[in-house]
Amino acid sequence: MITINEHYLKLQASYLFSDIAKRVDTYQENNPDKDIIRLGIGDVTRALPEACIKAMQAGVAEMAEDSSFRGYGPEQGYDFLREAIAKHDFIDQGAEVSADEIFVSDGAKCDTGNIQELFTTDIKVALPDPVYPVYLDTNVMAGRTGSFADGRYQGITYLDCVKENNFVPDLPKEPVDLIYLCFPNNPTGTTATKDELKTWVDYAHRNKALILFDAAYEAFIRNPDLPKSIFEIEGAREVAIEFRSFSKNAGFTGTRCAYTVVPKECVAYDSKGNKQHIHPLWNRRHCTKFNGVSYPIQKAAAAAYSPEGKKQIRELTDYYLRNAHHIKEAITALGFSSVGGDDSPYIWIDGQGRDSWEFFDLLLDKTGVVCTPGAGFGKCGQGYIRLSAFNSYENVVQAMDRIKTELG
Ligand code: PLP
């Protein structure tokens, strides 16, 4: 008899985006003339940088000739891309990472979801609330939680990100083994200072824990004092793995390319308490289960590090940041308190006592603007909404004008 992994049955159906879609459809039916502005989505809206497109086209042209055709590539990624990543994203920024510590993949979603396979099911997992849901659901699937009760899974240590800690989690009260951190954060848009990350790195050393650091939004950091990588923090190489993506910097959400950094010093422990290096184990998993990102896409990703590519990515992220600043200014002028939006494409807005969905409905009904209700990201998201800067500047200005008129 084929039996099911019952941990999957514990998963809460994610009604968030389908509920949003339903409410938006109803609104459109009732207001056929009203044009809806979507500031709820975490997907980019602008075209790929020209440098990446040209490199991708050149890669496709190579595949069209027998003499330059390439079949299976190295699972970890081509050297030209791994070397460009190590140099531009780390060494030039003062962080020690070598090309062979980089594993190119088709997404930070897959990598942040898959990495937990390397660890036993009896470890204690800590993750932020509100949270990017992949971290949580993949641990539920693996059986690291009990059932869902009162908005939370039993057995998980939730790190509350609330006004009182400025939405940067405090160290847990009980010892934990695996810690998910994400800065700049989705959904709150908050960033962490070097001192704050150092606190976590020190905690991981003291507790023989591991930090999974999701830096998918690092390209939005403009404040030169903020760390872009956890490897800017002393001691992180032994206790941290970092996830990066070309999705939000170069607009690869539909193109797919990302990478994970596993330093050679990074360890976990076997049942006898002996140190085991994670790098060879992740390498083994990656080579067994993944067959590499396509050559033209890796060419396109490498072009992100050319002088033109860097300039175009800067322009792209500046464009979204201008949107974020406009949203933030307008919301602040209306008297709402918010975080994010400075070094991040997301703005996390306090609904001033309103329930998340009530705030969502108010915005939609009065202005035709779609946001994401914070409650969809966890218990601590209740009472908040997330606005995203991923739209055209014109739409953002129009959305904010409507909000000022209707809620001002
Ligand atoms: N990590 C975070 C925090 C995200 O918000 C997202 C996408 O929204 C991802 C990872 C996924 O990145 P990718 O497109 O590389 O899978």
Side-chain angles (χ1 to χ4, degrees):
M1 182 176 69
I2 175 72
T3 50
I4 205 81
N5 173 357
E6 289 198 10
H7 301 303
Y8 273 66
L9 306 179
K10 293 179 202 159
L11 288 166
Q12 298 303 295
S14 176
Y15 295 119
L16 179 65
F17 289 102
S18 58
D19 273 2
I20 292 175
K22 265 190 232 148
R23 289 180 199 221
V24 172
D25 286 350
T26 311
Y27 173 82
Q28 190 76 91
E29 274 164 32
N30 297 337
N31 303 274
D33 303 334
K34 195 88 186 173
D35 104 70
I36 288 169
I37 304 178
R38 292 169 201 275
L39 297 182
I41 321 274
D43 194 359
V44 294
T45 53
R46 307 201 77 209
L48 294 171
E50 203 189 333
C52 298
I53 288 293
K54 280 191 181 154
M56 198 190 302
Q57 285 166 338
V60 171
E62 283 183 60
M63 296 299 248
E65 304 291 334
D66 287 348
S67 58
S68 50
F69 166 80
R70 292 171 189 244
Y72 291 125
E75 287 93 343
Q76 302 90 340
Y78 284 103
D79 284 345
F80 64 78
L81 178 56
R82 298 172 90 197
E83 279 160 15
I85 291 170
K87 172 173 166 32
H88 295 275
D89 282 349
F90 298 99
I91 297 163
D92 288 358
Q93 316 298 323
E96 184 197 343
V97 166
S98 61
D100 59 356
E101 294 174 322
I102 287 157
F103 294 86
V104 176
S105 79
D106 61 355
K109 180 178 192 173
C110 319
D111 289 347
T112 55
N114 290 330
I115 192 84
Q116 49 74 31
E117 279 182 25
L118 297 189
F119 313 109
T120 55
T121 49
D122 57 359
I123 53 165
K124 192 85 181 144
V125 175
L127 41 79
D129 180 356
V131 72
Y132 174 58
V134 173
Y135 317 150
L136 179 58
D137 286 356
T138 51
N139 276 290
V140 176
M141 291 169 180
R144 287 195 189 86
T145 73
S147 48
F148 190 76
D150 192 23
R152 288 188 159 181
Y153 287 97
Q154 287 155 359
I156 291 282
T157 298
Y158 288 88
L159 305 169
D160 291 355
C161 297
V162 289
K163 205 178 286 172
E164 289 68 34
N165 57 20
N166 211 17
F167 304 90
V168 176
D170 300 317
L171 294 179
K173 303 220 165 31
E174 70 261 17
V176 298
D177 308 304
L178 188 63
I179 301 151
Y180 290 81
L181 295 177
C182 174
F183 292 109
N185 188 265
N186 178 16
T188 66
T190 48
T191 49
T193 64
K194 283 187 179 159
D195 285 348
E196 283 161 341
L197 290 188
K198 177 82 171 107
T199 309
W200 281 100
V201 167
D202 291 345
Y203 173 91
H205 275 280
R206 280 198 308 280
N207 291 276
K208 295 186 173 169
L210 179 71
I211 298 169
L212 301 178
F213 188 76
D214 187 343
Y217 296 92
E218 59 74 34
F220 293 90
I221 294 180
R222 293 290 180 271
N223 178 345
D225 296 330
L226 289 172
K228 292 187 152 210
S229 166
I230 194 148
F231 301 121
E232 291 176 44
I233 311 301
E234 202 192 326
R237 285 179 56 84
E238 294 81 27
V239 294
I241 290 173
E242 181 163 308
F243 304 90
R244 294 261 188 125
S245 174
F246 293 93
S247 283
K248 308 297 162 91
N249 59 353
F252 275 46
T253 53
T255 309
R256 310 308 303 146
C257 196
Y259 67 88
T260 290
V261 184
V262 186
K264 302 257 179 62
E265 293 91 319
C266 189
V267 292
Y269 297 83
D270 64 21
S271 56
K272 298 191 180 73
N274 298 320
K275 281 185 180 175
Q276 297 292 340
H277 287 100
I278 296 176
H279 184 279
L281 303 181
W282 183 246
N283 187 48
R284 187 60 200 261
R285 189 222 172 263
H286 200 70
C287 295
T288 304
K289 295 195 178 185
F290 184 65
N291 235 342
V293 172
S294 79
Y295 176 69
I297 300 302
Q298 292 196 54
K299 289 296 273 188
Y305 299 104
S306 65
E308 315 77 67
K310 281 186 180 178
K311 186 168 163 279
Q312 289 158 13
I313 286 177
R314 181 75 181 200
E315 283 164 7
L316 209 49
T317 47
D318 275 348
Y319 182 93
Y320 293 126
L321 280 171
R322 180 164 75 133
N323 290 352
H325 297 160
H326 188 78
I327 295 172
K328 181 112 179 163
E329 264 172 36
I331 280 294
T332 309
L334 282 169
F336 287 99
S337 69
S338 66
V339 288
D342 294 323
D343 296 283
S344 153
Y346 298 126
I347 299 101
W348 188 243
I349 303 164
D350 186 339
Q352 297 176 328
R354 290 180 191 91
D355 166 81
S356 286
W357 280 106
E358 189 190 324
F359 199 2
F360 172 93
D361 286 334
L362 177 77
L363 273 190
L364 181 61
D365 292 341
K366 291 211 171 214
T367 69
V369 173
V370 182
C371 65
T372 312
F377 298 100
K379 221 175 167 177
C380 293
Q382 182 53 276
Y384 290 84
I385 57 159
R386 186 190 75 178
L387 284 182
S388 151
F390 295 129
N391 207 315
S392 69
Y393 182 65
E394 293 69 30
N395 278 349
V396 165
V397 168
Q398 208 193 335
M400 291 305 123
D401 284 349
R402 288 190 204 168
I403 292 175
K404 276 189 219 158
T405 310
E406 296 297 334
L407 304 188

